[in-house]
């Protein structure tokens, strides 16, 4: 009888949907984000049946942003599933966001029947070409037997070397093909075996001589600085950074999403003296951060023309592009382990009375003192600082595990970066390297499923919130512990910012391009789905709403009325507009 059952199992036929789901599970994938429809609904259902949690969104863009952030937070590929044609195109927003931020993600899209290509089939599109600019790997399963290999190659590529976005195409006819379950299992095993070989073959470690040179540069520097970014966060390098900073006494500067790797409150934090730190340092160790626009390209006038850069990056191409004084290729955590080991052989430390530390400390104290004087005022109608102070204090009161903070919007994100305090790694998600607006709700959902033990708090401008506001229904549907705080100032930057001489022409009576409906009741939106909404305009109202919603840990929107003239056009990048 047992032999008969074995033979039955080996001859059981499964289709491409089931094989795709089994391939994801075999790789270790546990979550998937997306919007279902033709031809991928069955694939999603099979994945759920196989043990994968599928988070269904209203829009592929938000689902894609969730997949990209999930990849960053977990170190495993975030998966986005879309339908063919327009679904794939919408999904490119998330894929491109992953690619520019160097986060591991795989966009999986259904596509039209291969026999009907070129005939105008339903939602026909050359999706490989469409995804090409935003992918480090492109794959297409042209037959059911190729599915496991295609999946493992895409998933491997997303995480190997510099992480990034990958694309995988699943034609309708392939999803409907069948194969015996025994052959399917054999194909998955073969793909997994090759995958392990690939993972072992592509590890990169920098040379010991280069590590010695790096340590010598730091040891002999008069004004050294350690800069780290979300690449170091992704590498889980926080313990190595802490050891390096505290053993050498070198001040540090995080990029926005590097905040929290070491607490913003650390005595060697240079964020409050950023201009001085980057303008005067003579040696800068840059770990997991690129010398791009966020760091002024590492060039004068923001940086000294004589500064020597030591660049730690997993990508050799990145180091060749930036041409630092010294490049250390490898995983940030592993490279810093080597650096710390080298320092331990011949220790050095700047000491609290070192002129460089005293200069940074004094500048930071002065800047913080001025900021705190502004924050101490209760300004009503609200400016940006008063509610931000109240939010900061409420988040700090939560303690550990600290909430994940999601931030987007021009003024809201800029002010929040300066005021809100990060004390734990990977607890800040914002517009990132690509300055992507509309990421908020997708990031919230990703954080809630990736870090279920943490509260998620989004601090959003009303413009940023509007990109993905319908996803508050998704928060309620899955009962995620997310509190969305909307700074409502009536528009992009705060409504009509035009000079009188600009208000001319046949449509001068129309609202300004930057204006929204004044007093929009964003809090009512979540109430339509059964969530909790708050409208606040005073310090006491905001404190009460934060206390209640943080304690409840249920989906909520707090609509904070801001003076429409409190903000500034283009945040801090007026020169670009």
């Amino acid at each position: 009888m047992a032999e008969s059952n074995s033979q039955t199992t080996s001859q059981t036929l499964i289709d491409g949907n089931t094989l795709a789901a089994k391939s994801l599970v075999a790789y270790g994938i546990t979550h998937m984000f997306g919007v279902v429809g033709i031809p991928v609904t069955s694939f999603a259902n099979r994945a759920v049946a196989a043990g994968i949690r599928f988070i269904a969104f209203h829009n592929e863009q938000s689902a894609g942003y969730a997949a990209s952030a999930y990849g960053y937070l977990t170190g495993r590929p975030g998966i986005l599933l879309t339908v063919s044609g327009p679904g794939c195109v919408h999904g490119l927003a998330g894929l491109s966001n992953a690619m520019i931020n160097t986060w591991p993600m795989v966009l999986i899209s259904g596509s039209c029947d291969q026999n009907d290509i070129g005939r105008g089939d339903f939602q026909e599109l050359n999706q490989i070409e469409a995804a090409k600019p935003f992918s480090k790997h492109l794959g297409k399963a042209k037959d059911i037997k190729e599915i496991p290999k295609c999946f493992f190659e895409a998933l491997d590529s997303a995480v190997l070397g510099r992480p990034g976005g990958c694309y995988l195409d699943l034609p309708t006819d392939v999803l409907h093909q069948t194969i015996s379950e025994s052959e399917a299992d054999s194909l998955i095993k073969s793909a997994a075996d090759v995958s392990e070989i690939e993972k072992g073959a592509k590890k990169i470690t920098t040379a010991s001589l280069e590590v010695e040179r790096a340590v010598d540069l730091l040891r002999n520097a008069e004004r050294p600085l350690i800069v780290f970014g979300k690449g170091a966060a992704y590498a889980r390098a926080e313990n190595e950074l802490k050891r390096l900073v505290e053993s050498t006494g070198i001040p540090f500067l995080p990029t926005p999403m590097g905040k929290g790797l070491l607490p913003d409150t650390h005595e060697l934090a240079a964020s409050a003296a950023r201009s001085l730190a980057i303008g005067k340092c003579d040696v800068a160790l840059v770990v997991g951060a690129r010398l791009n626009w966020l760091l002024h390209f590492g060039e004068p006038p923001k940086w000294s023309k004589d500064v020597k850069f030591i660049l730690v990056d997993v990508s050799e191409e990145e180091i060749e592009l930036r041409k630092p004084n010294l490049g250390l290729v490898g995983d940030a955590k592993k490279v810093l382990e080597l650096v710390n080991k080298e320092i331990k052989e011949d220790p050095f430390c700047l000491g609290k009375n070192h002129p460089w530390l005293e200069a940074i400390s004094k500048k930071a104290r002065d800047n913080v003192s001025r900021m705190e004087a502004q924050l101490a005022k209760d300004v009503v109608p609200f400016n940006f600082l008063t509610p931000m102070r109240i939010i900061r204090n409420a988040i700090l009161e939560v303690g550990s595990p600290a909430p994940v903070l999601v931030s987007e919007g021009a003024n809201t994100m800029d002010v929040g970066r300066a005021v809100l305090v990060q004390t734990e790694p990977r607890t800040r998600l914002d517009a990132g390297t690509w300055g992507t607006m509309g990421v908020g709700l997708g990031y919230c959902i990703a954080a809630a499923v990736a870090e279920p033990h943490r509260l998620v708090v989004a601090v959003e401008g009303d413009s940023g919130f509007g990109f993905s506001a319908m996803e508050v229904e998704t928060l309620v549907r899955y009962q995620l512990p997310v509190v969305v705080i909307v700074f409502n100032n009536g528009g992009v930057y705060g409504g009509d910012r035009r000079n009188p001489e600009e208000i001319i022409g046949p449509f001068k009576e129309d609202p300004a391009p930057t204006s929204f409906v004044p007093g929009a009741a964003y809090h009512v939106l979540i109430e339509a789905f059964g969530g909790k909404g708050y409208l606040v305009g005073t310090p006491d109202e905001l404190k009460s709403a934060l206390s209640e919603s943080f304690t409840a840990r249920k989906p909520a929107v707090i609509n904070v009325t801001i003076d429409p003239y409190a903000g500034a056009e283009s945040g801090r990048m007026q020169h670009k507009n």
Side-chain angles (χ1 to χ4, degrees), residues 235-270:
R236 271 59 180 171
E238 53 267 24
N239 291 334
E240 289 71 25
L241 276 169
K242 183 175 189 291
R243 180 181 170 193
L244 175 62
V245 165
E246 295 184 351
S247 67
T248 63
I250 298 174
F252 67 87
L253 178 70
T255 63
M257 272 193 268
K259 281 163 61 72
L261 280 172
L262 292 177
D264 289 341
T265 52
H266 196 286
E267 62 180 355
L268 290 170

Side-chain angles (χ1 to χ4, degrees), residues 25 45 125 144 153 169 253 295 310 318 322 328 337 340 364 388 399 405 427 458 502 525 536:
V25 170
N45 288 331
L125 173 70
I144 187 172
E153 286 178 349
D169 196 89
L253 178 70
L295 288 174
I310 306 166
E318 176 68 20
R322 305 299 175 183
L328 304 180
E337 285 174 353
N340 283 326
M388 205 68 80
L405 171 70
T427 55
E502 292 181 281
L525 180 62
V536 305

Side-chain angles (χ1 to χ4, degrees), residues 495-496 498 502-516:
D496 195 344
R498 296 173 296 179
E502 292 181 281
I503 308 175
I504 56 175
F507 303 108
K508 64 182 180 181
E509 300 303 321
D510 276 358
T514 55
S515 296
F516 297 153

Side-chain angles (χ1 to χ4, degrees), residues 16 31 68 81 88 100 111 158 160 166-167 199 204 251 284 292 296 319 384 404 415-416 431 446 451 458 491 552 567:
H31 290 80
S68 67
L81 180 65
C88 174
I100 302 301
S111 60
L160 288 172
C166 298
Y167 176 72
K199 286 176 184 174
I204 305 169
N292 56 19
H296 315 289
I319 289 173
F384 281 86
V404 175
V415 176
E451 304 274 1

Side-chain angles (χ1 to χ4, degrees), residues 67-119:
S68 67
Y70 180 89
Y72 167 65
L73 291 170
T74 65
R76 301 188 300 274
I79 309 297
L80 169 62
L81 180 65
T82 80
V83 302
S84 50
C88 174
V89 171
H90 292 168
L92 295 180
L95 186 66
S96 58
N97 191 63
M99 196 65 186
I100 302 301
N101 280 303
T102 70
W103 293 347
M105 173 186 161
V106 178
L107 165 58
I108 303 171
S109 293
S111 60
C112 72
D113 193 305
Q114 293 177 96
N115 293 327
D116 293 326
I117 292 174
R119 301 173 64 197

Side-chain angles (χ1 to χ4, degrees), residues 395-460:
I395 289 174
L396 287 172
E397 285 173 7
V398 172
S400 185
V404 175
L405 171 70
V406 176
S407 182
E408 67 175 331
N411 295 283
T412 307
M413 187 170 64
D414 279 344
V415 176
R417 184 169 58 245
V419 175
L420 301 176
V421 177
Q422 250 64 54
T423 58
E424 295 179 10
R426 293 167 295 281
T427 55
R428 179 183 171 86
L429 296 168
D430 63 24
T433 307
W434 220 19
T436 312
M437 291 298 151
V439 295
L441 270 294
Y443 281 8
C444 286
I445 292 165
V449 300
E451 304 274 1
H453 58 295
R454 296 185 190 269
L455 176 68
V456 180
V457 180
V459 183
E460 306 252 308

Side-chain angles (χ1 to χ4, degrees), residues 519-541:
Y522 296 118
H523 58 293
V524 175
L525 180 62
I526 196 168
E527 291 177 346
F529 306 113
K532 181 67 175 176
Y534 303 84
L535 175 63
V536 305
T538 68
D540 285 344
E541 289 172 346

